[in-house]
Amino acid sequence: MLPATPSLGIADSLLVSAGRMLGLPEDLVEILRHPKRELTVSIPVKMDSGTYRVFTGYRVHHNIARGPAKGGLRFHPQVTPEEIRELAALMTWKCAVVNIPYGGAKGGVVCDPSVMSKGEIERLTRRFVSELSIILGPDRDIPAPDVNTSEQVMAWILDTYSMTVGHSMLGVVTGKPIAVGGSLGRREATSRGVFSALHEAMAEVFPGKPAGEIRVAIQGFGNVGSNLARILHEEGFRLIALSDVHGGIRSDSGIDVPAALDYSASGGSIAGMPGCEEIDNQQLLAGPCDILVPAALGGQITERNARHVQAKLVVEAANAPITVEADEILRSRGVVVIPDILANAGGVVVSYFEWVQGLASYFWTEQMVNSRLEEIMRGAYCSVRNIADTQRCDLRTAAYLLAVGRVAEATRVRGIFP
Ligand code: NAD
C-alpha cells in the first residue's frame, strides 16, 4: 500500500502558498493536498524463460474535481509511490492552468524495460491494464505515454481495455498510433507548446531583439528537445548548445540543427558531432546563452549551479528541472522562469484533443490541431502573465494561483459530498 500521507514535494508547497495568497480556507487546501485515490497492484508476468515474475504497479488519481483523471504511465526501475503521487498532483495543476476539463493522475510500474523482451513488456502492460480496469475508462481515467512507454504500449492499453468491454473504446488512452485513433500533431505537441510559451515571453524579456540574435541552449535531445530545436531553427533562432545523456555540443556561430538531428538519429547521440566544441551537461547549463531550456530530467538546476546560469529566460520543458532552492536563486537574480505546468502543457492539451476526437469519431487536420494548441497556450500564458503583473509575483507563483484557484472553485461549487 502507498503511505497514506499527502505529497510533500514542490507542487505541495506551491499549493499551500497559493492557497494562502488566494485566501482559501485551510480545510479546503488540506482536501486539495490529498490524492483522491491510490491503487497499488501486483502484476504477475510470464517471462520468456517460462517462469513468472511479479512486478508492482501504481496509479494515483490526485484530483478529479474538474474532470476525469489524466496522466502518463511510466515503466522504470526507480518508480516510487512518492514520485507518482507528486507527478499526479503536477498533472492536476497543469490541466487547470491550460483550462482543459481534466483532473490529474500518474501511474508507473517498477521494471526495467531495457532488459525485457517486447513480448514480456506486452504481457506486463496488458496485465497492468487489467488490474487497473476498475478505475480506468474514458470518463474516469485516461492514461498516456511517459518514460519508457511508447505509442505501441498505448495501443496495447487500448486493445486490452476494448477486449474487456467488448468494443473499441478510443477514448480510454491517448498518445496512440495514428492507425488506432491517435491525433495528428501529438508527437511534437509538447515542443510546439514550449515554443508558444517561449515566444510569448520573448517580447518582455528581449524587447525588439530579432530571433536570429537570440542564443538558445537545450538540455536533452529526445522527443521534446529535438522537436523544439527543429521548430526554433525553422523560426530563425540561433541554437548554440545541445546535449543528451552522453554529452553535449556547442557552437557560438550556431549549430546546424538539421545536421544535428541526422547525426543523433544515426548514431544515437548528439555527443561528438563534428564541427562543434564538446561540452558536458554542467557546461551547457552554465554556458553563455539568452534562453536555456532544460528538456531532460528533473532536478538539473540546483543551488550548486543556479548562480552560474547566464540565461535571462529559462523555459521548463522538463518536469521540475529546477529545485526549490535554485528557483529562489534564479528569482533573486532576475532570471525569468516559465514554469513546467505552463511551459510543457502542450502534450496534455493535444492528448485532450485526441480524446475529444476519439469520443466524437471525428478527426481533425494537423493544421487544426496546431492552431488550437497555439490558441490555448497563448491564452494560458497571457492569463498567467496578467496574474503575475497584478500580484507582482513570478510566473510560477502566478501559474499556481491560476490553477489552484480553478480547482478550488470547482470543489467549492460542487460541494463536499455528502
Ligand atoms: P526522452 O526520453 O525522449 O528524451 C530525454 C532526453 O534527455 C534524451 O535526449 C536523453 O539522452 C536526455 N537525458 C537523459 N538523462 C540526461 C542527463 N543526465 N543529462 C542530460 N540529458 C539527459 O523524453 P522526452 O519525452 O523528450 O521528455 C523530456 C522531459 O520533458 C521529461 O522531463 C518529461 O517528463 C518532460 N515532458 C515530456 C512530455 C512529452 O510529451 N514527451 C510532456 C511533458 C513533459
Side-chain angles (χ1 to χ4, degrees), residues 34-35 61 93 157 175 206 242 246 270 295 309 313 364 385 389 408 415-416:
H34 280 77
H61 293 178
W93 312 127
I157 294 174
F206 309 106
L242 299 169
H246 303 291
I270 196 75
V309 168
L313 174 65
W364 308 350
R385 179 77 260 169
D389 289 344
I416 304 296

mmCIF file of all heavy atoms in Angstrom, residues 34-35 61 93 157 175 206 242 246 270 295 309 313 364 385 389 408 415-416:
data_model
loop_
_atom_site.group_PDB
_atom_site.id
_atom_site.type_symbol
_atom_site.label_atom_id
_atom_site.label_comp_id
_atom_site.label_asym_id
_atom_site.label_seq_id
_atom_site.Cartn_x
_atom_site.Cartn_y
_atom_site.Cartn_z
ATOM 1 N N HIS A 34 -4.545 16.205 -0.629
ATOM 2 C CA HIS A 34 -4.615 14.742 -0.583
ATOM 3 C C HIS A 34 -4.990 14.137 -1.924
ATOM 4 O O HIS A 34 -5.939 14.597 -2.563
ATOM 5 C CB HIS A 34 -5.656 14.301 0.458
ATOM 6 C CG HIS A 34 -5.131 14.355 1.852
ATOM 7 N ND1 HIS A 34 -5.010 15.544 2.546
ATOM 8 C CD2 HIS A 34 -4.686 13.380 2.664
ATOM 9 C CE1 HIS A 34 -4.500 15.289 3.747
ATOM 10 N NE2 HIS A 34 -4.297 13.982 3.837
ATOM 11 N N PRO A 35 -4.277 13.086 -2.338
ATOM 12 C CA PRO A 35 -4.712 12.375 -3.537
ATOM 13 C C PRO A 35 -6.107 11.793 -3.318
ATOM 14 O O PRO A 35 -6.425 11.333 -2.222
ATOM 15 C CB PRO A 35 -3.695 11.238 -3.682
ATOM 16 C CG PRO A 35 -2.556 11.602 -2.804
ATOM 17 C CD PRO A 35 -3.095 12.477 -1.720
ATOM 18 N N HIS A 61 -4.863 8.910 -8.595
ATOM 19 C CA HIS A 61 -5.729 9.998 -9.044
ATOM 20 C C HIS A 61 -5.574 11.104 -8.009
ATOM 21 O O HIS A 61 -6.002 10.933 -6.865
ATOM 22 C CB HIS A 61 -7.201 9.571 -9.072
ATOM 23 C CG HIS A 61 -7.514 8.531 -10.108
ATOM 24 N ND1 HIS A 61 -8.766 7.987 -10.259
ATOM 25 C CD2 HIS A 61 -6.725 7.950 -11.049
ATOM 26 C CE1 HIS A 61 -8.736 7.111 -11.262
ATOM 27 N NE2 HIS A 61 -7.518 7.064 -11.748
ATOM 28 N N TRP A 93 -2.557 20.438 -11.614
ATOM 29 C CA TRP A 93 -2.315 21.884 -11.783
ATOM 30 C C TRP A 93 -2.065 22.214 -13.250
ATOM 31 O O TRP A 93 -2.476 23.260 -13.741
ATOM 32 C CB TRP A 93 -1.169 22.347 -10.877
ATOM 33 C CG TRP A 93 -1.329 21.856 -9.463
ATOM 34 C CD1 TRP A 93 -0.414 21.172 -8.704
ATOM 35 C CD2 TRP A 93 -2.507 21.969 -8.634
ATOM 36 N NE1 TRP A 93 -0.939 20.854 -7.482
ATOM 37 C CE2 TRP A 93 -2.216 21.327 -7.408
ATOM 38 C CE3 TRP A 93 -3.756 22.537 -8.813
ATOM 39 C CZ2 TRP A 93 -3.142 21.250 -6.371
ATOM 40 C CZ3 TRP A 93 -4.684 22.451 -7.782
ATOM 41 C CH2 TRP A 93 -4.375 21.828 -6.582
ATOM 42 N N ILE A 157 -2.793 -0.917 -24.487
ATOM 43 C CA ILE A 157 -3.761 -0.487 -23.455
ATOM 44 C C ILE A 157 -5.155 -0.372 -24.082
ATOM 45 O O ILE A 157 -6.150 -0.879 -23.543
ATOM 46 C CB ILE A 157 -3.329 0.868 -22.831
ATOM 47 C CG1 ILE A 157 -2.027 0.693 -22.057
ATOM 48 C CG2 ILE A 157 -4.439 1.440 -21.936
ATOM 49 C CD1 ILE A 157 -1.427 1.987 -21.517
ATOM 50 N N GLY A 175 -2.108 9.337 -26.949
ATOM 51 C CA GLY A 175 -0.733 9.035 -27.365
ATOM 52 C C GLY A 175 -0.702 7.734 -28.161
ATOM 53 O O GLY A 175 0.327 7.062 -28.249
ATOM 54 N N PHE A 206 13.200 40.065 -24.152
ATOM 55 C CA PHE A 206 14.151 40.572 -25.160
ATOM 56 C C PHE A 206 13.433 41.534 -26.098
ATOM 57 O O PHE A 206 13.317 41.269 -27.297
ATOM 58 C CB PHE A 206 14.729 39.403 -25.979
ATOM 59 C CG PHE A 206 15.280 38.295 -25.149
ATOM 60 C CD1 PHE A 206 14.577 37.095 -25.034
ATOM 61 C CD2 PHE A 206 16.487 38.417 -24.479
ATOM 62 C CE1 PHE A 206 15.074 36.051 -24.267
ATOM 63 C CE2 PHE A 206 16.983 37.383 -23.705
ATOM 64 C CZ PHE A 206 16.278 36.202 -23.592
ATOM 65 N N LEU A 242 23.533 22.050 -27.378
ATOM 66 C CA LEU A 242 22.583 20.942 -27.258
ATOM 67 C C LEU A 242 23.266 19.839 -26.466
ATOM 68 O O LEU A 242 24.493 19.703 -26.524
ATOM 69 C CB LEU A 242 22.213 20.383 -28.650
ATOM 70 C CG LEU A 242 21.544 21.324 -29.651
ATOM 71 C CD1 LEU A 242 21.496 20.670 -31.044
ATOM 72 C CD2 LEU A 242 20.132 21.681 -29.189
ATOM 73 N N HIS A 246 24.653 11.462 -23.069
ATOM 74 C CA HIS A 246 26.059 11.116 -23.361
ATOM 75 C C HIS A 246 26.990 12.323 -23.411
ATOM 76 O O HIS A 246 28.209 12.163 -23.439
ATOM 77 C CB HIS A 246 26.138 10.360 -24.694
ATOM 78 C CG HIS A 246 25.288 9.135 -24.712
ATOM 79 N ND1 HIS A 246 25.573 8.026 -23.951
ATOM 80 C CD2 HIS A 246 24.131 8.856 -25.354
ATOM 81 C CE1 HIS A 246 24.643 7.117 -24.136
ATOM 82 N NE2 HIS A 246 23.753 7.584 -24.977
ATOM 83 N N ILE A 270 23.879 13.036 -29.678
ATOM 84 C CA ILE A 270 24.339 14.301 -30.240
ATOM 85 C C ILE A 270 25.838 14.493 -29.949
ATOM 86 O O ILE A 270 26.531 15.245 -30.642
ATOM 87 C CB ILE A 270 23.504 15.454 -29.626
ATOM 88 C CG1 ILE A 270 23.641 16.737 -30.411
ATOM 89 C CG2 ILE A 270 23.803 15.692 -28.178
ATOM 90 C CD1 ILE A 270 22.873 16.673 -31.667
ATOM 91 N N ALA A 295 15.285 20.175 -20.953
ATOM 92 C CA ALA A 295 14.277 19.290 -21.563
ATOM 93 C C ALA A 295 14.691 17.833 -21.373
ATOM 94 O O ALA A 295 14.493 17.000 -22.255
ATOM 95 C CB ALA A 295 14.113 19.624 -23.045
ATOM 96 N N VAL A 309 23.985 30.125 -13.935
ATOM 97 C CA VAL A 309 23.133 30.192 -15.129
ATOM 98 C C VAL A 309 23.217 31.601 -15.708
ATOM 99 O O VAL A 309 23.008 32.590 -15.003
ATOM 100 C CB VAL A 309 21.661 29.842 -14.756
ATOM 101 C CG1 VAL A 309 20.706 30.184 -15.896
ATOM 102 C CG2 VAL A 309 21.552 28.363 -14.384
ATOM 103 N N LEU A 313 16.243 33.938 -19.639
ATOM 104 C CA LEU A 313 14.934 33.258 -19.666
ATOM 105 C C LEU A 313 15.187 31.749 -19.603
ATOM 106 O O LEU A 313 15.992 31.227 -20.379
ATOM 107 C CB LEU A 313 14.208 33.609 -20.976
ATOM 108 C CG LEU A 313 12.887 32.887 -21.250
ATOM 109 C CD1 LEU A 313 11.812 33.270 -20.221
ATOM 110 C CD2 LEU A 313 12.369 33.228 -22.662
ATOM 111 N N TRP A 364 -9.344 15.620 -36.804
ATOM 112 C CA TRP A 364 -9.000 16.958 -37.279
ATOM 113 C C TRP A 364 -7.743 16.910 -38.160
ATOM 114 O O TRP A 364 -6.938 15.974 -38.051
ATOM 115 C CB TRP A 364 -8.698 17.884 -36.096
ATOM 116 C CG TRP A 364 -9.726 17.932 -35.020
ATOM 117 C CD1 TRP A 364 -10.987 17.384 -35.056
ATOM 118 C CD2 TRP A 364 -9.590 18.555 -33.741
ATOM 119 N NE1 TRP A 364 -11.631 17.639 -33.874
ATOM 120 C CE2 TRP A 364 -10.800 18.360 -33.049
ATOM 121 C CE3 TRP A 364 -8.570 19.268 -33.114
ATOM 122 C CZ2 TRP A 364 -11.006 18.831 -31.753
ATOM 123 C CZ3 TRP A 364 -8.771 19.752 -31.844
ATOM 124 C CH2 TRP A 364 -9.992 19.539 -31.171
ATOM 125 N N ARG A 385 0.532 35.615 -17.091
ATOM 126 C CA ARG A 385 1.276 36.893 -17.099
ATOM 127 C C ARG A 385 0.461 37.995 -16.394
ATOM 128 O O ARG A 385 1.001 38.759 -15.603
ATOM 129 C CB ARG A 385 1.545 37.269 -18.560
ATOM 130 C CG ARG A 385 2.267 38.559 -18.799
ATOM 131 C CD ARG A 385 3.730 38.434 -18.534
ATOM 132 N NE ARG A 385 4.080 38.946 -17.235
ATOM 133 C CZ ARG A 385 5.249 38.785 -16.635
ATOM 134 N NH1 ARG A 385 6.202 38.091 -17.217
ATOM 135 N NH2 ARG A 385 5.481 39.291 -15.465
ATOM 136 N N ASP A 389 1.492 40.128 -13.110
ATOM 137 C CA ASP A 389 1.559 41.594 -13.086
ATOM 138 C C ASP A 389 0.726 42.161 -11.940
ATOM 139 O O ASP A 389 1.192 43.030 -11.206
ATOM 140 C CB ASP A 389 1.058 42.174 -14.418
ATOM 141 C CG ASP A 389 2.044 41.893 -15.540
ATOM 142 O OD1 ASP A 389 3.203 41.536 -15.234
ATOM 143 O OD2 ASP A 389 1.662 42.007 -16.718
ATOM 144 N N ALA A 408 -9.969 24.899 -6.793
ATOM 145 C CA ALA A 408 -10.675 25.229 -5.547
ATOM 146 C C ALA A 408 -12.105 25.655 -5.856
ATOM 147 O O ALA A 408 -13.045 25.253 -5.168
ATOM 148 C CB ALA A 408 -9.936 26.351 -4.807
ATOM 149 N N GLY A 415 -19.327 21.263 -3.983
ATOM 150 C CA GLY A 415 -19.587 20.926 -2.579
ATOM 151 C C GLY A 415 -18.910 19.613 -2.232
ATOM 152 O O GLY A 415 -18.554 18.827 -3.103
ATOM 153 N N ILE A 416 -18.711 19.403 -0.936
ATOM 154 C CA ILE A 416 -18.059 18.162 -0.483
ATOM 155 C C ILE A 416 -19.150 17.158 -0.103
ATOM 156 O O ILE A 416 -19.936 17.408 0.799
ATOM 157 C CB ILE A 416 -17.144 18.440 0.730
ATOM 158 C CG1 ILE A 416 -16.111 19.535 0.403
ATOM 159 C CG2 ILE A 416 -16.453 17.143 1.186
ATOM 160 C CD1 ILE A 416 -15.118 19.216 -0.673
#
